[in-house]
Amino acid sequence: MTIFEKALAGEMLDRRVDPEVVKIDAIQVQTSRALAKLNQGVADADTIRTTFSQIIDRPIPSSSTILLPIHSDFGHHIWIGERVFINMNCTFVDVGGIEIQDDVLIGPNVQLVSVNHPLDRQPALRHRFYGRRVVIKRNAWLGAGVTVLPGVTIGENAVVGAGAVVTKDVPGNTVVAGVPAKIIKQLPTD
């Protein structure tokens, strides 16, 4: 298994003992440089899509829109569906994988985080990390300033209120808000 497959599988990785972690580090440097260049200029929608497609190493549909600035630590583990709208200043920490399905709306300053560290306080373990995929299902809407933590799935047609911190899965057709996010309303289904 490659280091990238291990990260997507949620295996514990250790920066000090796994020599392949340098491959992730090298891609992170490339991603940082490419995003710095993209974010410092004024770019049209096609240029943003083309450049971000190169960073994530897969095409972004022409029906999707990304506003600048955008931030990512790795980039290669992001999947973006059709008719997705990503507002300005969003951050994707994606070593564990981030999947954004069709028709998703993402407000400004949203953070999707797919990497975590063990809670053990021993200094020797602080260099360990593992990935947990974040999934934003079809037709979900994340309000401004939402943070979605590792391993969370936002259900189909769900709405996450501005400023929420999502620590566990959100069922489809619900509205959640708060810190931590809790269900505040059930939405009607078709």
Side-chain angles (χ1 to χ4, degrees), residues 60-84:
I60 295 171
S62 62
S63 61
S64 293
T65 301
I66 299 170
L67 300 184
L68 298 178
I70 187 160
H71 310 282
S72 175
D73 65 334
F74 182 62
H76 284 39
H77 291 164
I78 299 171
W79 292 266
I80 298 173
E82 296 280 349
R83 297 170 305 281
V84 169

mmCIF file of all heavy atoms in Angstrom, residues 60-84:
data_model
loop_
_atom_site.group_PDB
_atom_site.id
_atom_site.type_symbol
_atom_site.label_atom_id
_atom_site.label_comp_id
_atom_site.label_asym_id
_atom_site.label_seq_id
_atom_site.Cartn_x
_atom_site.Cartn_y
_atom_site.Cartn_z
ATOM 1 N N ILE A 60 -12.349 19.328 -12.698
ATOM 2 C CA ILE A 60 -13.497 19.914 -12.001
ATOM 3 C C ILE A 60 -14.516 20.243 -13.083
ATOM 4 O O ILE A 60 -14.178 20.893 -14.079
ATOM 5 C CB ILE A 60 -13.089 21.190 -11.228
ATOM 6 C CG1 ILE A 60 -12.105 20.820 -10.118
ATOM 7 C CG2 ILE A 60 -14.319 21.892 -10.661
ATOM 8 C CD1 ILE A 60 -11.472 22.001 -9.437
ATOM 9 N N PRO A 61 -15.759 19.790 -12.921
ATOM 10 C CA PRO A 61 -16.759 20.045 -13.966
ATOM 11 C C PRO A 61 -16.914 21.536 -14.263
ATOM 12 O O PRO A 61 -16.831 22.375 -13.356
ATOM 13 C CB PRO A 61 -18.049 19.481 -13.361
ATOM 14 C CG PRO A 61 -17.602 18.488 -12.340
ATOM 15 C CD PRO A 61 -16.308 19.025 -11.794
ATOM 16 N N SER A 62 -17.169 21.853 -15.519
ATOM 17 C CA SER A 62 -17.341 23.252 -15.911
ATOM 18 C C SER A 62 -18.577 23.875 -15.274
ATOM 19 O O SER A 62 -18.691 25.100 -15.209
ATOM 20 C CB SER A 62 -17.408 23.378 -17.439
ATOM 21 O OG SER A 62 -18.521 22.669 -17.934
ATOM 22 N N SER A 63 -19.490 23.060 -14.780
ATOM 23 C CA SER A 63 -20.691 23.573 -14.117
ATOM 24 C C SER A 63 -20.423 24.013 -12.680
ATOM 25 O O SER A 63 -21.295 24.591 -12.032
ATOM 26 C CB SER A 63 -21.791 22.503 -14.114
ATOM 27 O OG SER A 63 -21.360 21.352 -13.392
ATOM 28 N N SER A 64 -19.234 23.739 -12.161
ATOM 29 C CA SER A 64 -18.900 24.087 -10.774
ATOM 30 C C SER A 64 -18.094 25.382 -10.720
ATOM 31 O O SER A 64 -17.348 25.699 -11.641
ATOM 32 C CB SER A 64 -18.119 22.950 -10.115
ATOM 33 O OG SER A 64 -18.955 21.825 -9.977
ATOM 34 N N THR A 65 -18.251 26.107 -9.602
ATOM 35 C CA THR A 65 -17.620 27.415 -9.426
ATOM 36 C C THR A 65 -16.837 27.432 -8.122
ATOM 37 O O THR A 65 -17.338 27.011 -7.083
ATOM 38 C CB THR A 65 -18.685 28.528 -9.380
ATOM 39 O OG1 THR A 65 -19.423 28.496 -10.602
ATOM 40 C CG2 THR A 65 -18.060 29.901 -9.188
ATOM 41 N N ILE A 66 -15.615 27.966 -8.188
ATOM 42 C CA ILE A 66 -14.776 28.140 -7.008
ATOM 43 C C ILE A 66 -14.337 29.593 -6.972
ATOM 44 O O ILE A 66 -13.789 30.104 -7.958
ATOM 45 C CB ILE A 66 -13.532 27.231 -7.059
ATOM 46 C CG1 ILE A 66 -13.957 25.758 -7.108
ATOM 47 C CG2 ILE A 66 -12.617 27.505 -5.873
ATOM 48 C CD1 ILE A 66 -12.812 24.806 -7.400
ATOM 49 N N LEU A 67 -14.570 30.260 -5.851
ATOM 50 C CA LEU A 67 -14.102 31.632 -5.686
ATOM 51 C C LEU A 67 -12.801 31.642 -4.893
ATOM 52 O O LEU A 67 -12.579 30.784 -4.034
ATOM 53 C CB LEU A 67 -15.167 32.471 -4.967
ATOM 54 C CG LEU A 67 -16.531 32.586 -5.660
ATOM 55 C CD1 LEU A 67 -17.441 33.528 -4.871
ATOM 56 C CD2 LEU A 67 -16.393 33.052 -7.101
ATOM 57 N N LEU A 68 -11.970 32.618 -5.178
ATOM 58 C CA LEU A 68 -10.676 32.763 -4.496
ATOM 59 C C LEU A 68 -10.798 33.689 -3.296
ATOM 60 O O LEU A 68 -11.677 34.539 -3.270
ATOM 61 C CB LEU A 68 -9.644 33.322 -5.479
ATOM 62 C CG LEU A 68 -9.352 32.461 -6.688
ATOM 63 C CD1 LEU A 68 -8.346 33.154 -7.595
ATOM 64 C CD2 LEU A 68 -8.862 31.081 -6.303
ATOM 65 N N PRO A 69 -9.917 33.526 -2.317
ATOM 66 C CA PRO A 69 -8.874 32.521 -2.240
ATOM 67 C C PRO A 69 -9.433 31.166 -1.805
ATOM 68 O O PRO A 69 -10.498 31.075 -1.215
ATOM 69 C CB PRO A 69 -7.923 33.077 -1.191
ATOM 70 C CG PRO A 69 -8.788 33.873 -0.279
ATOM 71 C CD PRO A 69 -9.862 34.460 -1.172
ATOM 72 N N ILE A 70 -8.674 30.132 -2.129
ATOM 73 C CA ILE A 70 -8.981 28.771 -1.699
ATOM 74 C C ILE A 70 -7.700 28.181 -1.135
ATOM 75 O O ILE A 70 -6.598 28.514 -1.600
ATOM 76 C CB ILE A 70 -9.554 27.921 -2.844
ATOM 77 C CG1 ILE A 70 -10.021 26.575 -2.302
ATOM 78 C CG2 ILE A 70 -8.576 27.784 -3.991
ATOM 79 C CD1 ILE A 70 -11.004 25.860 -3.204
ATOM 80 N N HIS A 71 -7.841 27.323 -0.134
ATOM 81 C CA HIS A 71 -6.673 26.774 0.563
ATOM 82 C C HIS A 71 -6.795 25.261 0.671
ATOM 83 O O HIS A 71 -7.887 24.743 0.887
ATOM 84 C CB HIS A 71 -6.555 27.376 1.969
ATOM 85 C CG HIS A 71 -6.646 28.862 1.970
ATOM 86 N ND1 HIS A 71 -5.589 29.674 1.612
ATOM 87 C CD2 HIS A 71 -7.676 29.693 2.234
ATOM 88 C CE1 HIS A 71 -5.974 30.941 1.685
ATOM 89 N NE2 HIS A 71 -7.233 30.974 2.064
ATOM 90 N N SER A 72 -5.670 24.576 0.541
ATOM 91 C CA SER A 72 -5.617 23.130 0.731
ATOM 92 C C SER A 72 -4.214 22.770 1.166
ATOM 93 O O SER A 72 -3.242 23.409 0.759
ATOM 94 C CB SER A 72 -5.952 22.401 -0.570
ATOM 95 O OG SER A 72 -5.795 21.019 -0.406
ATOM 96 N N ASP A 73 -4.110 21.741 1.985
ATOM 97 C CA ASP A 73 -2.781 21.318 2.412
ATOM 98 C C ASP A 73 -2.163 20.318 1.443
ATOM 99 O O ASP A 73 -0.971 20.270 1.249
ATOM 100 C CB ASP A 73 -2.816 20.735 3.827
ATOM 101 C CG ASP A 73 -3.614 19.450 3.929
ATOM 102 O OD1 ASP A 73 -4.519 19.237 3.112
ATOM 103 O OD2 ASP A 73 -3.343 18.661 4.856
ATOM 104 N N PHE A 74 -2.991 19.525 0.777
ATOM 105 C CA PHE A 74 -2.499 18.426 -0.045
ATOM 106 C C PHE A 74 -3.095 18.507 -1.447
ATOM 107 O O PHE A 74 -2.389 18.597 -2.425
ATOM 108 C CB PHE A 74 -2.866 17.112 0.652
ATOM 109 C CG PHE A 74 -2.397 15.872 -0.042
ATOM 110 C CD1 PHE A 74 -1.053 15.622 -0.239
ATOM 111 C CD2 PHE A 74 -3.313 14.942 -0.480
ATOM 112 C CE1 PHE A 74 -0.633 14.464 -0.879
ATOM 113 C CE2 PHE A 74 -2.903 13.778 -1.114
ATOM 114 C CZ PHE A 74 -1.552 13.538 -1.310
ATOM 115 N N GLY A 75 -4.414 18.480 -1.529
ATOM 116 C CA GLY A 75 -5.100 18.691 -2.792
ATOM 117 C C GLY A 75 -5.479 17.440 -3.548
ATOM 118 O O GLY A 75 -6.524 17.391 -4.178
ATOM 119 N N HIS A 76 -4.652 16.417 -3.503
ATOM 120 C CA HIS A 76 -4.878 15.245 -4.341
ATOM 121 C C HIS A 76 -6.050 14.368 -3.905
ATOM 122 O O HIS A 76 -6.436 13.461 -4.630
ATOM 123 C CB HIS A 76 -3.611 14.403 -4.410
ATOM 124 C CG HIS A 76 -2.559 14.982 -5.303
ATOM 125 N ND1 HIS A 76 -2.293 16.324 -5.391
ATOM 126 C CD2 HIS A 76 -1.711 14.394 -6.168
ATOM 127 C CE1 HIS A 76 -1.328 16.530 -6.253
ATOM 128 N NE2 HIS A 76 -0.953 15.377 -6.744
ATOM 129 N N HIS A 77 -6.586 14.595 -2.739
ATOM 130 C CA HIS A 77 -7.688 13.763 -2.244
ATOM 131 C C HIS A 77 -8.985 14.559 -2.126
ATOM 132 O O HIS A 77 -9.744 14.401 -1.169
ATOM 133 C CB HIS A 77 -7.321 13.124 -0.904
ATOM 134 C CG HIS A 77 -6.249 12.085 -1.039
ATOM 135 N ND1 HIS A 77 -5.549 11.612 0.039
ATOM 136 C CD2 HIS A 77 -5.764 11.414 -2.119
ATOM 137 C CE1 HIS A 77 -4.669 10.712 -0.363
ATOM 138 N NE2 HIS A 77 -4.787 10.584 -1.674
ATOM 139 N N ILE A 78 -9.238 15.418 -3.112
ATOM 140 C CA ILE A 78 -10.485 16.193 -3.174
ATOM 141 C C ILE A 78 -11.228 15.784 -4.442
ATOM 142 O O ILE A 78 -10.635 15.736 -5.524
ATOM 143 C CB ILE A 78 -10.195 17.713 -3.210
ATOM 144 C CG1 ILE A 78 -9.451 18.162 -1.955
ATOM 145 C CG2 ILE A 78 -11.501 18.505 -3.373
ATOM 146 C CD1 ILE A 78 -8.946 19.596 -2.016
ATOM 147 N N TRP A 79 -12.526 15.499 -4.292
ATOM 148 C CA TRP A 79 -13.395 15.180 -5.420
ATOM 149 C C TRP A 79 -14.537 16.175 -5.419
ATOM 150 O O TRP A 79 -15.207 16.350 -4.392
ATOM 151 C CB TRP A 79 -13.947 13.754 -5.298
ATOM 152 C CG TRP A 79 -12.883 12.712 -5.459
ATOM 153 C CD1 TRP A 79 -12.531 12.070 -6.614
ATOM 154 C CD2 TRP A 79 -12.012 12.185 -4.448
ATOM 155 N NE1 TRP A 79 -11.501 11.190 -6.384
ATOM 156 C CE2 TRP A 79 -11.154 11.235 -5.044
ATOM 157 C CE3 TRP A 79 -11.855 12.433 -3.076
ATOM 158 C CZ2 TRP A 79 -10.186 10.531 -4.350
ATOM 159 C CZ3 TRP A 79 -10.887 11.733 -2.378
ATOM 160 C CH2 TRP A 79 -10.073 10.804 -3.014
ATOM 161 N N ILE A 80 -14.778 16.838 -6.549
ATOM 162 C CA ILE A 80 -15.810 17.873 -6.668
ATOM 163 C C ILE A 80 -16.779 17.483 -7.776
ATOM 164 O O ILE A 80 -16.365 17.233 -8.908
ATOM 165 C CB ILE A 80 -15.185 19.255 -6.953
ATOM 166 C CG1 ILE A 80 -14.279 19.669 -5.787
ATOM 167 C CG2 ILE A 80 -16.275 20.299 -7.210
ATOM 168 C CD1 ILE A 80 -13.489 20.933 -6.020
ATOM 169 N N GLY A 81 -18.076 17.460 -7.441
ATOM 170 C CA GLY A 81 -19.114 17.053 -8.384
ATOM 171 C C GLY A 81 -19.592 18.188 -9.274
ATOM 172 O O GLY A 81 -18.991 19.261 -9.349
ATOM 173 N N GLU A 82 -20.709 17.946 -9.927
ATOM 174 C CA GLU A 82 -21.339 18.902 -10.840
ATOM 175 C C GLU A 82 -22.096 19.984 -10.066
ATOM 176 O O GLU A 82 -22.655 19.714 -9.001
ATOM 177 C CB GLU A 82 -22.346 18.182 -11.751
ATOM 178 C CG GLU A 82 -21.735 17.159 -12.688
ATOM 179 C CD GLU A 82 -21.111 17.773 -13.922
ATOM 180 O OE1 GLU A 82 -21.319 18.979 -14.176
ATOM 181 O OE2 GLU A 82 -20.408 17.038 -14.640
ATOM 182 N N ARG A 83 -22.106 21.180 -10.626
ATOM 183 C CA ARG A 83 -22.897 22.310 -10.103
ATOM 184 C C ARG A 83 -22.602 22.617 -8.625
ATOM 185 O O ARG A 83 -23.484 22.997 -7.862
ATOM 186 C CB ARG A 83 -24.403 22.066 -10.325
ATOM 187 C CG ARG A 83 -24.782 21.968 -11.797
ATOM 188 C CD ARG A 83 -26.189 21.491 -12.011
ATOM 189 N NE ARG A 83 -26.480 20.214 -11.356
ATOM 190 C CZ ARG A 83 -26.123 19.014 -11.827
ATOM 191 N NH1 ARG A 83 -25.488 18.926 -12.974
ATOM 192 N NH2 ARG A 83 -26.421 17.906 -11.153
ATOM 193 N N VAL A 84 -21.364 22.472 -8.253
ATOM 194 C CA VAL A 84 -20.917 22.803 -6.884
ATOM 195 C C VAL A 84 -20.510 24.267 -6.870
ATOM 196 O O VAL A 84 -19.901 24.768 -7.819
ATOM 197 C CB VAL A 84 -19.728 21.899 -6.477
ATOM 198 C CG1 VAL A 84 -19.076 22.382 -5.191
ATOM 199 C CG2 VAL A 84 -20.182 20.451 -6.361
#
